[in-house]
Amino acid sequence: MVKSYLKYEHSKSFGLITSSTSNILWISQNRSSTGAGQAVVAANEELLSWDIKTGDIVERWKDEKSSAQVTAIAQSKANDDLFAAGYEDGSVRLWRSRDPSPFITFNGHRSAITILAFDRSGVRLASGSKDTNVIVWDLVAEVGQFKLRGHKDQITGLQFVEPQEEVAEREDSEEMALDVDGANDSSSEGFLLTTGKDALIKLWDLGSRHCIETHIAQTNGECWALGLSPDYSGCITAGNAGELKVWALDAALLAASRRQVDIPANIQYLRDRGTLFRHGKDKTTEVVFHPRRDYFAVHGSEKSVEIWRIRNEAEIKKSLARKKKRRREKLAQKKESGANGDAQLDGEDDQDEDVSRADITDAFAQHLIIRTGGKVRSVDWADIHGKKKLQLLVGATNNQLEMYSMPLKEKSGKSKEDDVPDYERALSIEIPGHRADIRSLALSSDDKWLASASNGSIKIWSILTQKCGKTLECGYALCCAFLPGDKLVAIGTKSGEIELFEVATGALLDSVSAHEGAIWSLQIHPDGRSIVSGSADKSAKFWKVQVVQEEVLGTTRTASRLKLAHARTLKVSDDILSLKFSPDAKLLAVALLDSTVKVFFVDSLKLYLNLYGHKLPVLDMDISYDSKLIVTCSADKNIRIWGLDFGDCHKALLAHQDSILQVKFLPNNREGNGHHFFSASKDRTIKYWDGDKFEQIQRLDGHHGEIWALAISQSSEPPFIVSASHDKSIRVWEETDEQIFLEEEREKEIEELYESTLTHSLEQDEDEDENGEIGAATKQTSETLNHGERIAEALELGMADLHVIREWEEAKASNLNIAPPQRNPMFMAHGGISAEEYVMKVLQRPAASALNDALLVLPFASVPILFTFLNLFAVRSMNIPLTCRILFFMLKTHHRQIVGSRTMRAMLDGIRANLRKALKRQKDEMGYNIAALKIAGLQIREKDVKEYVDENWDDGDGGQNVKKRAFVHVS
């Protein structure tokens, strides 16, 4: 009989506040009970919404089908509940608040999404990617409209530019009506501003779908960020060495150009206004304008954010006047060049009166520099209404969020120019995660608490709630363990100290300078009375936990304290990397830096076995519950299984693609699984093995970084494992009731490999025929290939069924008693439906975004069959929008072949006539309904209560809250 195993599945993850892979967003949701708003951040493959004030997760969005990391987030300007997330695999998903799964998924990019932007009306989304392309997606039809090619490196900035054209009041209503009709044509689709790592800034006309202007954005190599002012008057691009370039954007001219047919060739909408230099000289990664005030934030990858202020017209004039005064004073000093100097000054006077020509350094002033708690990954302005201060949300690369509050520029002239305003860290979210990588995990004996140790802190988590109960400050922890009773936790540090903490109070009970080198391993004796520590100083030391009576200073009283007392020492020939007691407490295994494992008797410390075989040092090992097997894992990517009776190597397995950092046996023998073990590696996977059959049972994927630590539950049902990784997340994997068979797992892996190579080869084929700056937003995935195959099958089945039914109807005309024909069982399974209904069902199955890609899979031979069914759909008015969509897409794709075929042209005439009939019927129906609704509306209005309102009334507070923006420097 084939042996079956129980499957382990990912159940929960915690410990991650924000990933450094994506930007962050600040949102002011009304349902948030606190006034600080919420932060929407990426957490590996999930999106989290944090309440900034309470530090709780309000919402969690995750697509169960995808494990790719989130790399970009955007919020719709028109609908606050709509979010878009871009992923590492090039997919884009749209989410709604309070809905945990995505409602639209787009696939069009070949590599990670770098930036996303919604348009003003919220019906289009633009995505930029590392594959150098920009795709504009239609969110209503749920399809990709087109792909813009032009950049030669990854897209780093993306903004919709939709200037409103100022319409003069006209008395002629007819002219106005014409204007309104014209406003709905393709030319009103707006513009798109993009920057790339190739140091280019491009302006695209989305109506005619081409690039209308290209400039070199940065002088020193690469452009990494784009910030667009909210009123479209200008933008700022940023690159290396702290360089910021300011561009004036002629929004009025851009809006007017929609009406013009022949635009002069030399016209420029973007104008270079000069260069500013940041305080920091690192690569600038973001420029974010405040949505309502004249401020913008700039930051690189260091621990600071710079806030710049845009000066108003009066301030610029004041600055120019001051400069002029200084120049006059200097010229007055040069008496000898008298007449020439005066003439020169008069010429400059008129020029300086023009504010728009002022030097760019006069228009911008550095407001202040915020020093943050970690290297900055992304910032967003918190636009809290009613606050007299500026609020900035900062996401750091060391897994924390911070909210900073800073004052506005004082209006009165009292404050001096060089008086730097002060800022404060108002709120932060840092408790639910470590700042550095977790190096060790330990579970309590009842599996309710988890200790995670990293550089600087150890945290105690509740496994049930995934909340952090305690944070204890410590040294650079490399290993940790709960002592029996779970009241104490011991850690070994890089500096050679053992620290003993009380879990309940968080107090440091004892700190012993145990070793001269780093303590790599700490093990509790199976009887719970002593600890052994293994260090890089070539010794293992045994410690007893004792209660000692200590005198209280200044009194005669004594108080009892727990202390670690050194019992004995084991000296070895090389650094100790790992230690392990056998469960029967007779043997101690020691892994050394010389790639060997030595096994000693615990009582006499005499050498029992030497295990040779690994080519690189053994990083971890474990001994099975019955003390018969020892498994070792090494930096040579191998796992070796040894017998502890003779020290013979049972099997060497090439287990992972990189160094194997952890290996753990299941601690109890449940249903014969005592010789099963888990291994975790730098290749980001955990693998589950059978130590008797030397077979891999299962591979657990999910982490996005090397897995440093692994812990297995002792007693709980069902058993679970906990893993911690470089991606800062702690994941819990639980055993399920689902059975897995090894053959099926192997087949699944081979299928995955085949699918990935198939889609990769299709992408390469597409790459070969790419030319021109516009393309179709398509991408073949295994899903679209499957849908395409199903459509082809359905068309063949349907066509065969149509022939059978036609023959039967012809035969019935001559013989009325003829029996119904034998149809395909597929139609019977769907309840005896007709062929066209079955084909329609199959066509409705793929999502709107995947349908076009699925139709591309069809060979041209099946297009006439598809058109036959489209004709039937038109006759029977079946899902007319879908019918039209498929028809137009197929005509666009196979236009030349269809035009060249006589039979197809005849077929198209029939389809056109039938479609027009169906569409006319629908149009009449809709017109009738709209007219009825208008009449109903009029009747409701007549019966309604009317209020008299004086049109000239002014209540006085209309203009108080509105602040007119004036970007003088870019006018």
Side-chain angles (χ1 to χ4, degrees):
M1 192 178 122
V2 178
K3 186 174 179 184
S4 68
Y5 302 88
L6 291 176
K7 189 175 190 176
Y8 276 80
E9 274 185 357
H10 177 247
S11 68
K12 50 204 168 203
S13 57
F14 54 96
L16 182 58
I17 299 166
T18 172
S19 290
S20 58
T21 53
S22 164
N23 61 316
I24 61 169
L25 289 180
W26 178 87
I27 56 169
S28 62
Q29 297 293 55
N30 301 330
R31 62 182 184 282
S32 164
S33 54
T34 60
Q38 292 172 21
V40 175
V41 300
N44 288 332
E45 72 277 13
E46 294 180 307
L47 281 175
L48 301 180
S49 177
W50 291 93
D51 187 317
I52 298 167
K53 204 162 199 174
T54 61
D56 294 328
I57 294 176
V58 184
E59 273 188 275
R60 209 183 255 272
W61 296 308
K62 184 187 175 191
D63 187 359
E64 296 299 332
K65 296 174 199 156
S66 166
S67 62
Q69 279 181 294
V70 178
T71 53
I73 318 171
Q75 183 187 20
S76 170
K77 296 179 181 115
N79 177 5
D80 288 344
D81 282 346
L82 182 63
F83 296 91
Y87 291 78
E88 203 176 28
D89 60 359
S91 60
V92 179
R93 288 176 179 77
L94 275 94
W95 309 81
R96 286 194 192 99
S97 292
R98 298 182 290 279
D99 183 2
S101 52
F103 67 98
I104 304 177
T105 302
F106 292 127
N107 278 303
H109 289 287
R110 310 271 161 74
S111 51
I113 306 290
T114 51
I115 191 150
L116 293 168
F118 280 93
D119 71 346
R120 194 194 297 122
S121 56
V123 296
R124 283 177 304 169
L125 173 73
S127 60
S129 163
K130 282 187 177 173
D131 65 6
T132 76
N133 294 329
V134 175
I135 296 182
V136 179
W137 307 93
D138 183 340
L139 305 186
V140 179
E142 299 184 14
V143 293
Q145 288 185 328
F146 48 86
K147 184 188 285 183
L148 300 171
R149 307 190 196 102
H151 285 285
K152 296 285 177 276
D153 210 329
Q154 73 177 60
I155 308 296
T156 55
L158 186 68
Q159 294 283 355
F160 276 97
V161 181
E162 299 167 283
Q164 297 286 357
E165 192 174 359
E166 292 166 17
V167 181
E169 287 183 24
R170 296 177 188 158
E171 290 178 21
D172 191 354
S173 58
E174 279 182 36
E175 226 179 309
M176 196 71 165
L178 282 169
D179 221 38
V180 170
D181 289 343
N184 296 327
D185 67 1
S186 65
S187 63
S188 64
E189 284 188 22
F191 302 87
L192 195 66
L193 198 59
T194 62
T195 56
K197 193 181 156 187
D198 55 4
L200 296 179
I201 180 167
K202 284 177 174 279
L203 185 64
W204 305 81
D205 185 342
L206 296 180
S208 58
R209 299 181 185 181
H210 75 290
C211 178
I212 53 175
E213 212 167 299
T214 303
H215 297 272
I216 293 171
Q218 303 305 124
T219 55
N220 54 6
E222 296 161 343
C223 176
W224 283 104
L226 167 71
L228 179 67
S229 70
D231 63 349
Y232 306 132
S233 61
C235 66
I236 293 175
T237 58
N240 298 330
E243 182 188 69
L244 304 175
K245 209 167 219 188
V246 183
W247 300 84
L249 181 63
D250 199 333
L253 190 63
L254 208 55
S257 73
R258 296 174 184 167
R259 298 269 167 270
Q260 296 168 4
V261 180
D262 50 339
I263 299 166
N266 60 350
I267 198 162
Q268 280 203 346
Y269 304 108
L270 272 175
R271 222 171 59 252
D272 184 358
R273 287 286 285 112
T275 307
L276 300 168
F277 284 95
R278 277 176 55 222
H279 191 269
K281 291 288 170 268
D282 55 323
K283 178 180 88 179
T284 306
T285 50
E286 231 177 8
V287 178
V288 187
F289 276 86
H290 193 285
R292 289 185 306 121
R293 300 185 188 274
D294 295 344
Y295 290 87
F296 64 90
V298 190
H299 70 86
S301 51
E302 295 302 318
K303 294 184 177 182
S304 65
V305 181
E306 294 176 34
I307 311 298
W308 288 70
R309 189 169 58 80
I310 302 162
R311 289 177 170 158
N312 57 29
E313 202 166 331
E315 281 181 287
I316 296 174
K317 280 184 176 169
K318 208 172 176 184
S319 169
L320 291 175
R322 204 181 297 124
K323 278 188 177 177
K324 199 192 296 176
K325 190 179 171 187
R326 278 195 209 124
R327 273 206 302 276
R328 275 220 176 95
E329 285 167 4
K330 276 184 184 174
L331 286 165
Q333 286 165 8
K334 296 180 180 176
K335 296 281 185 189
E336 61 273 5
S337 59
N340 297 337
D342 288 343
Q344 189 185 346
L345 188 69
D346 289 341
E348 284 179 3
D349 277 359
D350 304 331
Q351 181 193 333
D352 281 355
E353 287 305 313
D354 185 4
V355 173
S356 65
R357 287 190 188 172
D359 190 56
I360 204 68
T361 50
D362 293 328
F364 290 92
Q366 199 166 50
H367 186 54
L368 59 91
I369 299 174
I370 295 172
R371 303 288 173 193
T372 56
K375 288 186 176 177
V376 184
R377 170 56 183 90
S378 177
V379 300
D380 199 14
W381 290 102
D383 189 18
I384 303 169
H385 289 271
K387 288 259 183 173
K388 290 285 181 280
K389 288 187 167 185
L390 291 170
Q391 303 244 318
L392 187 73
L393 180 69
V394 177
T397 55
N398 65 348
N399 198 25
Q400 66 176 344
L401 287 168
E402 298 171 312
M403 175 87 97
Y404 288 93
S405 174
M406 69 209 87
L408 292 159
K409 169 87 166 64
E410 288 175 27
K411 292 218 173 125
S412 62
K414 290 173 196 168
S415 67
K416 291 174 188 169
E417 282 291 317
D418 45 311
D419 188 19
V420 177
D422 204 13
Y423 65 90
E424 58 171 355
R425 188 168 99 149
L427 296 161
S428 70
I429 303 173
E430 53 189 358
I431 292 169
H434 284 276
R435 301 289 77 76
D437 284 7
I438 296 168
R439 299 308 296 263
S440 177
L441 291 173
L443 278 162
S444 61
S445 57
D446 58 1
D447 297 329
K448 287 184 179 169
W449 298 98
L450 173 76
S452 61
S454 75
N455 180 5
S457 70
I458 178 165
K459 287 181 183 279
I460 311 293
W461 306 82
S462 162
I463 287 287
L464 193 67
T465 62
Q466 297 109 55
K467 292 266 169 68
C468 176
K470 274 269 183 302
T471 301
L472 320 171
E473 282 188 20
C474 64
Y476 194 143
L478 294 174
C479 49
C480 67
F482 274 101
L483 270 64
D486 302 330
K487 301 262 173 65
L488 307 175
V489 64
I491 65 156
T493 68
K494 200 172 183 178
S495 56
E497 292 181 343
I498 298 176
E499 296 177 3
L500 199 61
F501 290 94
E502 189 174 10
V503 173
T505 60
L508 176 63
L509 298 179
D510 195 10
S511 177
V512 183
S513 289
H515 293 273
E516 289 161 15
I519 299 173
W520 289 109
S521 188
L522 202 63
Q523 285 292 318
I524 310 294
H525 192 282
D527 68 4
R529 289 182 191 162
S530 64
I531 304 172
V532 63
S533 59
S535 162
D537 67 359
K538 304 182 184 178
S539 68
K541 292 186 179 178
F542 292 79
W543 308 84
K544 281 194 163 55
V545 182
Q546 295 177 341
V547 179
V548 181
Q549 298 296 324
E550 274 194 352
E551 279 188 23
V552 180
L553 288 171
T555 65
T556 53
R557 288 184 297 110
T558 59
S560 53
R561 266 192 68 185
L562 274 169
K563 270 196 156 329
L564 289 171
H566 180 222
R568 30 181 203 158
T569 306
L570 169 68
K571 293 272 187 186
V572 287
S573 60
D574 216 330
D575 295 15
I576 295 175
L577 297 181
S578 179
L579 293 163
K580 195 74 192 175
F581 279 109
S582 64
D584 62 7
K586 288 180 182 172
L587 303 170
L588 173 70
V590 181
L592 304 181
L593 193 62
D594 63 6
S595 311
T596 64
V597 175
K598 290 181 163 47
V599 184
F600 296 91
F601 289 107
V602 172
D603 48 6
S604 64
L605 294 186
K606 291 237 175 95
L607 183 65
Y608 169 50
L609 292 170
N610 250 329
L611 308 179
Y612 297 99
H614 283 290
K615 295 178 182 69
L616 289 170
V618 172
L619 301 176
D620 195 27
M621 57 191 173
D622 201 10
I623 298 174
S624 64
Y625 76 101
D626 54 7
S627 303
K628 285 184 177 170
L629 289 182
I630 178 168
V631 61
T632 57
C633 68
S634 161
D636 63 9
K637 310 175 193 174
N638 282 306
I639 285 175
R640 284 178 179 261
I641 302 160
W642 318 75
L644 265 181
D645 38 10
F646 303 110
D648 55 326
C649 179
H650 291 186
K651 187 76 174 173
L653 303 162
L654 180 62
H656 288 268
Q657 254 102 64
D658 210 332
S659 303
I660 305 166
L661 301 171
Q662 293 278 309
V663 65
K664 292 274 183 289
F665 268 111
L666 285 169
N668 310 310
N669 189 29
R670 253 172 81 258
E671 298 166 16
N673 66 0
H675 285 177
H676 296 178
F677 61 90
F678 288 91
S679 63
S681 163
K682 274 189 176 178
D683 69 2
R684 308 176 180 192
T685 61
I686 299 170
K687 290 188 178 178
Y688 182 26
W689 303 86
D690 185 336
D692 291 328
K693 293 192 168 184
F694 319 124
E695 294 261 21
Q696 181 191 320
I697 302 166
Q698 194 188 349
R699 190 180 77 212
L700 303 172
D701 294 304
H703 278 294
H704 298 280
E706 48 264 41
I707 300 162
W708 291 117
L710 202 64
I712 299 193
S713 63
Q714 303 289 323
S715 53
S716 63
E717 286 288 327
F720 63 86
I721 62 169
V722 188
S723 57
S725 161
H726 173 63
D727 64 17
K728 304 277 196 301
S729 69
I730 302 171
R731 289 172 193 257
V732 180
W733 314 77
E734 280 182 359
E735 187 182 81
T736 60
D737 296 333
E738 191 185 335
Q739 290 189 327
I740 47 176
F741 299 94
L742 301 183
E743 288 79 10
E744 286 179 15
E745 286 296 301
R746 293 301 90 78
E747 279 172 22
K748 209 186 287 177
E749 281 177 21
I750 291 164
E751 263 175 43
E752 279 172 17
L753 194 67
Y754 168 69
E755 281 179 2
S756 66
T757 51
L758 180 68
T759 49
H760 186 64
S761 63
L762 281 167
E763 279 172 19
Q764 282 178 331
D765 292 347
E766 283 173 33
D767 284 342
E768 284 165 16
D769 24 279
E770 279 194 1
N771 46 20
E773 63 179 23
I774 186 156
T778 61
K779 181 189 177 187
Q780 289 297 352
T781 62
S782 54
E783 189 188 5
T784 57
L785 290 173
N786 290 339
H787 281 308
E789 283 167 12
R790 285 193 200 114
I791 292 168
E793 280 173 25
L795 289 173
E796 281 175 25
L797 279 178
M799 205 62 199
D801 190 67
L802 285 180
H803 287 312
V804 168
I805 297 291
R806 194 184 300 130
E807 282 169 13
W808 175 70
E809 280 172 354
E810 285 169 5
K812 198 178 177 187
S814 56
N815 179 10
L816 290 172
N817 300 327
I818 194 165
Q822 185 69 40
R823 295 178 72 202
N824 192 296
M826 188 62 81
F827 300 108
M828 299 296 114
H830 283 81
I833 58 174
S834 67
E836 56 267 33
E837 281 173 320
Y838 174 67
V839 172
M840 178 54 85
K841 250 188 182 177
V842 174
L843 287 168
Q844 282 171 336
R845 237 173 253 158
S849 53
L851 179 64
N852 289 1
D853 293 335
L855 290 170
L856 285 174
V857 177
L858 294 180
F860 183 69
S862 53
V863 173
I865 305 171
L866 179 61
F867 275 36
T868 307
F869 280 103
L870 289 175
N871 194 21
L872 289 169
F873 298 155
V875 171
R876 293 182 55 181
S877 293
M878 289 166 70
N879 197 342
I880 293 296
L882 182 67
T883 304
C884 291
R885 229 186 100 192
I886 294 169
L887 177 66
F888 299 149
F889 179 74
M890 295 313 278
L891 283 172
K892 200 162 76 178
T893 311
H894 301 292
H895 182 255
R896 285 182 187 167
Q897 294 94 319
I898 290 169
V899 170
S901 161
R902 284 185 187 173
T903 50
M904 294 285 283
R905 272 183 290 177
M907 202 182 272
L908 279 176
D909 276 339
I911 294 175
R912 183 176 62 178
N914 292 326
L915 254 185
R916 280 193 176 165
K917 271 186 212 163
L919 288 168
K920 189 176 184 304
R921 206 178 312 125
Q922 283 197 354
K923 192 177 169 188
D924 292 347
E925 213 170 88
M926 284 166 80
Y928 182 82
N929 290 339
I930 289 167
L933 286 168
K934 278 182 183 168
I935 291 163
L938 286 169
Q939 287 171 348
I940 291 164
R941 218 170 295 144
E942 278 169 14
K943 291 173 186 172
D944 218 0
V945 178
K946 288 188 178 63
E947 287 180 11
Y948 173 71
V949 179
D950 188 345
E951 287 177 359
N952 300 325
W953 175 260
D954 181 17
D955 57 0
D957 43 76
Q960 278 183 14
N961 297 328
V962 182
K963 184 174 184 303
K964 180 86 175 95
R965 293 187 72 103
F967 284 88
V968 180
H969 63 288
V970 289
S971 58

